[in-house]
Structure formats: structure tokens, C-alpha cells
Amino acid sequence: MHLIKALLAQINPYTGDIKRNIKKHLDFIEKARKEGASLVIFPELSLTGYFLKDSIYDLGVNINKEGPGIFGPLYEASKNVSIIAGFVERDDNFNFYNSSFCLSRGKVLHVHRKVYLPTYGMFEELRYFKPGSGFNVFDLSEGRSARARASILTCEDAWHLSSSYICVNKGANIIIINSASPARGIASILDKFSSINMWEELLSVIAFYYKSYVIYANRVGFEDGVGFSGGSCVFTPHGEMDSCAGYLNESSLKIEINLDLLNSERFKTPLIRDENLHLTFREIQDIIGSKK
Amino acid sequence: MKKELPQINEKNFPLISTHLTNFIREEVLRTGLKRVVLGLSGGIDSAVSCYLAEKALGKSNVTALLMPHRLSSPQSLKDAKNIVRLLGIGHHVIDITDGVDWYFTGEIKKGASEMDIKLRTGNKMARERMSILYDYSFKLKALVLGTSNKSELLLGYGTIFGDMASALNPIGDIYKTQIYQIARLLGVPENIIKKAPTADLWAGQSDESELGFSYELADSIMYLLIDKMYKPEVLESLGYDIKIVNKIYGMIKKSQYKRRTPLIAKVSERTINVDFRYLRDWE
């Protein structure tokens, strides 16, 4: 059996307080270590909080220039447990990104800069952040097994089905979605907010049709009256929710990713194998051409 | 096309209740305080806020101020006292008659019209209560908990810097129709739920006769206009009386100023709330 044991850390970050958030991260990392997990996944912007507005200016960290810097304790902790966490990244040209890194063995293994920055309704990310330039796949098992190939999508990224399409066709079989999704929408027939329901339907679709594991880490807590819904969970390549951390409150969830399941699911329903990339490419070229 | 205002029912209430109590607890505690104070009128809105606060913070951290005026219905005070007793929370009764009436004795002599005096007295009562609540906020180290629902906030059926003022409001995004549903699920006494909605600013006052439409109708219209962003003409095609739709939309627009902070003339490079932008929860 090829198992990956991970811990979903459904936390309520302190808005704008990186140091206190690092402390909170270390507590959950320690919990993960004690429970035998090799990976701990935190939500979007877990090290800073979400509705940051002008304080983004004060919270950006240039990890390429400054090295571990303020995140030193996390780099250190990643020698035992790999860590996926969200932060405000600053580059050499003074741009800011809504970024997530995967730290492993004391180093940065992967960075995802959020591509789709919602700027409508209550969201204003594009006002502050520069979009990332793409989606990539990284080896979560670092050579121990070639089969754990993961991509990170951050919240809105996942709402564009083209994002997960790109990831799986690049070879991902584990889609990790970190988010800061506010609870909203009352529905008479649901026992949850309609936003939660929408998310769970989306995660199921991505998992089933892209025959991948989907891991969702969403935050909880309030920022200026807006409450985040939690509901961190994992969906199997069969499109079913395997387990869920519950809604609204801070908690953690131990999950097991059984990579052997990918084998049977992708054999039974070989959608990824049969995907016609050339056709898609031609069609997209035509679409872009006709829009000029 | 489905067009009903969603119900708060046994199915979704557990999560909504957790959400609202988490809101109160978290937004209060992060300020370094642990208490709230609220005006308890004996009506359904403040009752719901009060029940949620007690659930969120515990009875020892909730204080109700009962602030009757000589024109208030005696039943209101009785109903408020009943809530205090049922929840076991602290309370104070402060009669606001003198605080309000002294001002108007002079105004009446100056020849203001009776209707004007009635409305102005109502506003003054709301602001007198606000003023006492904020004094107790300081005295008790407690945040003022709001009790205005989404319907009255949208319609502007409230007094600016009066009953519309608070530090945090758990029910401001919940329509009046849904307040009834949530009240039942919270166990608010049935006689409070069944009373006709009133601001109780003068004897026999009624929200719905003053507004000229029922909350049930207004709420279904506002849900489509505001939450669903349907245009008025779409509501007409769905069978709503366009005159009432336009009247309600007009009231919402006209009262926008009540829901915003005062305008500031921009002269500097960074102006408060314009391009000096931080959360209230700024740390």
C-alpha cells in the first residue's frame, strides 16, 4: 500500500500577526508529527489572515531574498513534517502575491502564486496582489514514491475548472486546494450554508472527473463580521467525501491518501488517458484567434 | 423560477446559530473585552440578539438595559423582564421620560407641529437610549450589541445614531421574516413572537401600518432586489406590484446615508476609509 498520512489544519489565523500565526502553525505541526503524519496542510494566507487590505504592504515576505527569515522556525519544523501554508509574498520588484509554499526537509519544495484573484462582491484581491503565472506539479513524496504528484490551487483557482485540468494533464494526482472561503447563503433545504454546498459539489466533480485525490483546507474564524466556513475535507478519486473536519470551528483532521486507489479508478474510467490535448489546444487557439 | 426568501428552519438552524454565536464571541473577545450590553425593548429583535449573546458569552457577560418612556407600552417592560428572568442575565431599568421630555417642553411652546414633535420625540428616545447604552458600555467594559434586523436597516426604518448605532450586530443580515423563524428555534416566548411589530415610540404605533406593506411582502421583494440582484422589472414579471417594488427600492436608496459613516472631504493623499483602508479588526 502506498499511503500518505497528512493532517489538515483548519485554523483561525490572527489577522495581520505573523509571529502569533507561526506559533499556532508550530502547534499544529507538532500535533501532526505526534500523530505520524508526513504532511500538514494549512489554509490560504494562513500565516497572515485574509482581508488584509492596506496591511498587505506591511506583511509581504521576500523568501527568495531573505531566505527563511521570519519563517525560520517553519523551515526548521519542516525537517520532520512537510508543511503547506499560505503567506503574502513580495518579489524583488515590489509586487505582492497571494502565495502558498510547501516546505520540506528544511527547504522550499514548491511555491504556488494564486492565479485567479477574485475582485468582485466582497473580494478585492486584484487590487493588491499580482496574479501568479501558472500551475505546477511537484513530487510530494520526494523520490520515495514517484506516484505522489501534487498541485496546489488556491481557493478561486479551483473555481476555474481549467486550473485542475492543467494540473492533472501535467501529471498531478493529488489536488491540494487551500482556501479562505466565507460562509454565506442560507438555503431552506440544506443543513449548511449554500457556499459550503457549492464547494463540496465542486470538489467532488474535480475528484471524480479528473480521477484525483482532492484535499481541501479551508479556514475558520471571523474578520470584520465575515465568517469563514471550514469544512476541510478529502475527496477520493471516486468523487466521494472520505472525511471532513466539520464546519465553522478550529480543528484538525487526520487523513490518509491511498495512492493504490488511483490505479483502479484510472483503469476503470480512463478519462485522463483519453483526454485529447491536441484537440483542446486547437480549439483554444481558435477561440483566442476569433476573439482578437 | 424559485423566488422565496429562504427559511431558517430546524435543518439549517444549528449551523446558523453556531455561526452567529461564534461571531459574537470572537468579535467581542478580540477587543480584549468579554461582555456586551444591549437595549432590551420587549420586542422580538432585541430578544433574539439577547438570546444569541447569552448563548455566546454566558449569562454573566450579558447585561440588558430596559429603558421605558411614559409613552411605552407597559407590556413591553413586562416582556423584557420576562426575558431577563428566563435567561438569568443582569439588567437595569432606566426610565428615559425625563431625559427626553424636558427638551420638548420648550420646543412645543415654540409652536412645533404635533406630528413633528411625535417623530422628533421618537428619534430623541432612540438616541437617549443609545447615549445610555454607550455610557454603560464604558461603565461595564461591555460592547453595545446591535438589535436592528436587515429589513429595517435596508428600509431605513430606524434612527441614525439611535437604535441603528452599535459596536456589533448579529442580526443585521437577517430579514424580519427570518427573525420570527430564528426566535422560535431559540425558544423566545411565544407572546413576544406573536406581537405586532412596533417601534413602541407612541401608543398603538405599528411598523406595518406606518410602512404601508407587510414585512413578509417587503422581505420577499428585498431578497430578490438585494440578495438576488433582480431588476425591478423582473420582479414585476414575477407578479409583484411594481408600485410597491419601486416604493421599497426608493426607501432603500433614500436611506443609504444612514448605513454609512459620515462623508469626509478629501484633501490629503490618504483619507480615512477612502484610501486609508484597514479592517476594523486591524491588529
Side-chain angles (χ1 to χ4, degrees), chain B residues 163-215:
Chain B
D163 53 311
M164 290 176 93
S166 69
L168 70 161
N169 179 353
I171 62 166
D173 202 19
I174 300 173
Y175 287 105
K176 185 79 174 187
T177 308
Q178 297 167 323
I179 294 283
Y180 288 105
Q181 296 155 359
I182 213 168
R184 287 224 157 77
L185 293 158
L186 283 167
V188 172
E190 200 61 21
N191 74 308
I192 292 175
I193 297 171
K194 286 212 172 108
K195 282 195 290 194
T198 172
D200 198 21
L201 298 173
W202 54 81
Q205 189 187 19
S206 149
D207 287 10
E208 294 185 338
S209 65
E210 244 178 41
L211 290 165
F213 41 75
S214 70
Y215 275 120

Side-chain angles (χ1 to χ4, degrees), chain A residues 12 15 20 51 53-55 124 127-128 183 186-193 196 221-225 227 247-249, chain B residues 2 5-9 11-12 15-16 18-19 22-23 26-27 30 178 270 274-283:
Chain A
N12 175 9
T15 313
R20 274 171 94 192
F51 286 111
K53 297 179 177 274
D54 285 3
S55 56
E124 49 186 20
R127 184 187 168 105
Y128 294 102
I186 297 169
S188 310
I189 54 160
L190 294 175
D191 60 359
K192 50 191 118 179
F193 287 94
I196 297 177
F222 279 85
E223 287 179 354
D224 267 19
Y247 307 118
L248 306 183
N249 294 317
Chain B
K2 252 175 79 181
L5 176 73
Q7 283 173 11
I8 297 177
N9 53 30
K11 211 171 167 96
N12 56 33
L15 209 61
I16 291 170
T18 304
H19 185 69
N22 280 1
F23 162 76
E26 192 171 329
E27 297 290 10
R30 73 163 15 119
Q178 297 167 323
R270 263 183 115 202
V274 176
D275 35 27
F276 172 79
R277 307 172 80 252
Y278 294 91
L279 288 188
R280 196 172 86 173
D281 297 340
W282 189 15
E283 285 179 54

Side-chain angles (χ1 to χ4, degrees), chain B residues 1-4 224 230 234 237-238:
Chain B
M1 196 187 309
K2 252 175 79 181
K3 51 177 184 171
E4 305 87 25
L224 297 178
Y230 291 4
V234 177
S237 74
L238 291 172

Side-chain angles (χ1 to χ4, degrees), chain B residues 237-256:
Chain B
S237 74
L238 291 172
Y240 288 95
D241 180 345
I242 190 70
K243 277 196 215 119
I244 295 179
V245 171
N246 283 333
K247 182 180 176 182
I248 286 172
Y249 208 9
M251 289 175 78
I252 294 171
K253 287 178 181 169
K254 215 177 146 189
S255 59
Q256 176 70 348

Side-chain angles (χ1 to χ4, degrees), chain A residues 241-254:
Chain A
M241 188 193 280
D242 197 46
S243 55
C244 176
Y247 307 118
L248 306 183
N249 294 317
E250 201 165 73
S251 67
S252 62
L253 179 71
K254 243 176 86 176

